[in-house]
Amino acid sequence: ESTLILSCPKNFYRTAIKRNEVLKEHPFKLVKLVEITIYDNAEPTKLTTKQFTAEDDTDYSTIIDKIHEFLKVLPRGEISFSIEYIYKEKGTDDNLFDKLFIGIEVMLNFFNALKEEINDQSKVFQEIMEKIDNLKIHRLNTADLFVEDLVYYKRSDKIEHGWRVELRMPDIKFSLDKMPGVDIPLQNYGLDVNANEMHELFLKILHFYMFLFIHQRHIMTTIFIVSNDMQANILSFDTSIRSTFYRKIKDISEKIKNDRDIVSIFIIHECWSYPNKPEILYKNYEERVATENPISTFAGHMINENLEIYSYHLEEDKLKSHEYIVNTINETAKTKLITPPIFMTPIYNAFKSRKSNH
C-alpha cells in the first residue's frame, strides 16, 4: 500500500472554488470594460473609457462604430490608439483572465506533478497529457487576446487594424556581459567616445544589432529593460503600425515607476525618416512610403535613471561604409540630448518622476 501526497498551491483551490460557485451555485455578474488609449505624440493619454455589461450584448462592430464616431471629431490627421477588452466580476478590480491564466498554469503544474508521481503509462492518461501539453492558451497573455492596436486616418476616414508579432521569451533577466562583442573595447570598433559604463554597453549592443541589420536587411524592434545588476529583460516584436510601439513604451514607463531596480532603457529598431511636413500625418502608411521618399534608418536610443539621453540614427544605404558608421557615432556621442526623442517621452518622464520622488 502506498500513499500519494501532492502539494497544491492556494490558487488551485481558489480556482476550483470559483468554478464550483459559478457552475453549481450561481453565475456571477460579468462586467465588460472597453478601454481606449489614444497616443498623442507618443504620450499616452486615456481620453475615454466605454463600459458595457454582459447583458448589453454589445458586439465588436458596434463598439468600433462608436469609437469611429468619437475619432472623427478629433483635430489630428492621424491618430494612433489601442483598444483593450477587460472582463471583471462586478464589485472587483481584478481582470478575470489574469486569474484564468494563473489557474491554467497551476492546473498544468498539478497534472505534471501527478504524472511524475503515478507514472501512469495508460493510453487514456497519455492522450490527456498530450492534449494539455498542446494547449496554446497557456502560452498567451491577456494582451495577445484582448488588446488591439489601430490607427485612424482622418483624410480617408478609415481605421487601420495593425498586425504584430512578438518573440516570446521566458520572463527572466539576461546577463548583458554575455552579449556578443561586449568584451571588446570600443576602440577596436574604431570609436573614440568618452562613455560611462552604461553608455559604452549600449554602444556595443547597438553595434551588434547593426551587424544583424546589415546582413538581414530587417530587424525586429528590440527593447532592453536594464537592471542595476547589469542584467536585462529583452522584448522583441514587429508590427505594422506605431500604436503597438507606443503601447509598449507606455507599459515600460509604468514598470519604471514601480521598479527602482530598472536603471536604463535601450531601444533598437529600424524606421522611416520623412521630410518635416505637417501634411504627411494625414496620409496613411502606404501612401507616405509611396509618395514622400522616406529614408530607411537604423536607430538606437538610450535613457537612464540619471536622465542621460543618447539617440543614434544611421541611414541604411550608408551602412556598408565603416567610415560613415564611425564618424556618425563619434559625432553624435559628443552631445547628450536635453530632451528625448518624442516617442520616448513617457520613459523619460517616468525616470524623472522617480528621481524627484527619491
Side-chain angles (χ1 to χ4, degrees):
E1 183 179 348
S2 62
T3 302
L4 173 63
I5 301 176
L6 292 171
S7 176
C8 299
K10 291 181 180 178
N11 283 332
F12 180 83
Y13 296 112
R14 290 171 182 162
T15 304
I17 290 170
K18 174 56 72 176
R19 179 179 181 275
N20 186 69
E21 176 186 329
V22 172
L23 293 179
K24 298 181 180 179
E25 297 177 25
H26 59 82
F28 59 84
K29 182 80 169 181
L30 178 66
V31 175
K32 294 188 296 185
L33 186 67
V34 181
E35 213 164 69
I36 309 160
T37 301
I38 294 180
Y39 309 100
D40 184 10
N41 289 331
E43 184 73 73
T45 307
K46 192 175 294 181
L47 296 184
T48 185
T49 299
K50 301 289 185 181
Q51 186 171 349
F52 306 90
T53 62
E55 286 73 22
D56 287 339
D57 198 25
T58 305
D59 61 23
Y60 175 81
S61 60
T62 301
I63 295 171
I64 291 294
D65 287 343
K66 290 182 178 181
I67 293 171
H68 193 170
E69 291 302 315
F70 171 76
L71 295 173
K72 281 183 178 181
V73 302
L74 299 180
R76 295 193 62 196
E78 177 183 316
I79 302 170
S80 297
F81 66 103
S82 298
I83 302 175
E84 181 175 8
Y85 302 89
I86 303 170
Y87 297 82
K88 300 180 178 181
E89 183 178 357
K90 189 172 184 179
T92 74
D93 292 326
D94 296 330
N95 189 331
L96 290 176
F97 278 90
D98 285 340
K99 290 184 175 181
L100 173 65
F101 288 128
I102 293 172
I104 290 173
E105 189 66 28
V106 168
M107 285 188 281
L108 281 171
N109 292 338
F110 171 77
F111 282 119
N112 282 325
L114 181 64
K115 178 182 176 181
E116 290 184 11
E117 288 287 343
I118 65 177
N119 193 27
D120 190 339
Q121 299 298 320
S122 69
K123 182 179 178 182
V124 173
F125 187 82
Q126 295 301 321
E127 287 178 349
I128 291 173
M129 291 306 301
E130 183 177 347
K131 288 180 179 179
I132 293 173
D133 289 338
N134 290 331
L135 279 175
K136 294 181 179 180
I137 192 168
H138 71 275
R139 301 187 184 104
L140 304 174
N141 57 35
T142 51
D144 294 330
L145 295 174
F146 303 115
V147 176
E148 185 172 12
D149 300 315
L150 311 97
V151 62
Y152 171 71
Y153 300 104
K154 194 176 187 71
R155 189 166 76 173
S156 60
D157 192 30
K158 298 292 185 182
I159 291 177
E160 179 184 347
H161 298 251
W163 59 260
R164 62 184 189 260
V165 177
E166 185 167 346
L167 179 61
R168 188 63 47 76
M169 293 181 285
D171 189 21
I172 57 176
K173 293 180 181 178
F174 180 80
S175 295
L176 293 177
D177 60 4
K178 299 186 183 301
M179 289 287 294
V182 168
D183 57 340
I184 301 174
L186 281 181
Q187 290 75 15
N188 287 24
Y189 294 108
L191 300 179
D192 182 20
V193 177
N194 183 21
N196 59 27
E197 183 182 12
M198 188 65 69
H199 186 198
E200 182 175 332
L201 176 64
F202 168 66
L203 286 174
K204 291 175 179 178
I205 292 174
L206 182 71
H207 195 278
F208 170 68
Y209 273 85
M210 192 187 310
F211 172 82
L212 296 179
F213 181 67
I214 291 171
H215 287 81
Q216 297 176 179
R217 313 300 292 178
H218 177 71
I219 56 169
M220 299 176 74
T221 297
T222 302
I223 303 176
F224 292 77
I225 305 173
V226 185
S227 299
N228 52 17
D229 56 3
M230 286 301 183
Q231 298 191 51
N233 292 100
I234 302 176
L235 308 176
S236 288
F237 61 94
D238 207 354
T239 178
S240 62
I241 55 176
R242 288 180 294 177
S243 304
T244 303
F245 186 62
Y246 296 155
R247 177 169 57 82
K248 295 288 187 181
I249 296 293
K250 177 181 73 71
D251 292 344
I252 290 170
S253 67
E254 293 299 321
K255 286 180 180 290
I256 292 170
K257 294 175 185 176
N258 299 317
D259 188 350
R260 290 192 171 273
D261 287 340
I262 299 174
V263 296
S264 192
I265 302 295
F266 303 161
I267 298 179
I268 299 172
H269 65 133
E270 60 176 289
C271 58
W272 291 114
S273 176
Y274 295 94
N276 187 18
K277 298 189 297 184
E279 60 267 26
I280 289 177
L281 290 177
Y282 286 84
K283 297 182 178 182
N284 62 32
Y285 177 78
E286 290 81 5
E287 189 180 4
R288 282 201 301 269
V289 174
T291 63
E292 297 299 333
N293 298 315
I295 298 172
S296 178
T297 303
F298 172 83
H301 320 277
M302 165 190 154
I303 299 179
N304 66 18
E305 63 178 350
N306 297 320
L307 305 183
E308 294 175 323
I309 310 165
Y310 292 96
S311 185
Y312 297 88
H313 293 263
L314 298 102
E315 296 181 23
E316 178 183 355
D317 290 344
K318 298 179 180 179
L319 288 178
K320 291 182 179 179
S321 168
H322 182 68
E323 181 181 2
Y324 166 75
I325 294 172
V326 169
N327 290 341
T328 301
I329 292 179
N330 283 340
E331 191 63 31
T332 304
K334 290 179 181 178
T335 307
K336 294 177 186 175
L337 297 178
I338 299 175
T339 57
I342 191 68
F343 63 85
M344 291 189 75
T345 301
I347 290 174
Y348 178 84
N349 287 341
F351 276 130
K352 185 177 180 180
S353 175
R354 200 180 73 181
K355 189 179 179 71
S356 63
N357 293 332
H358 184 63

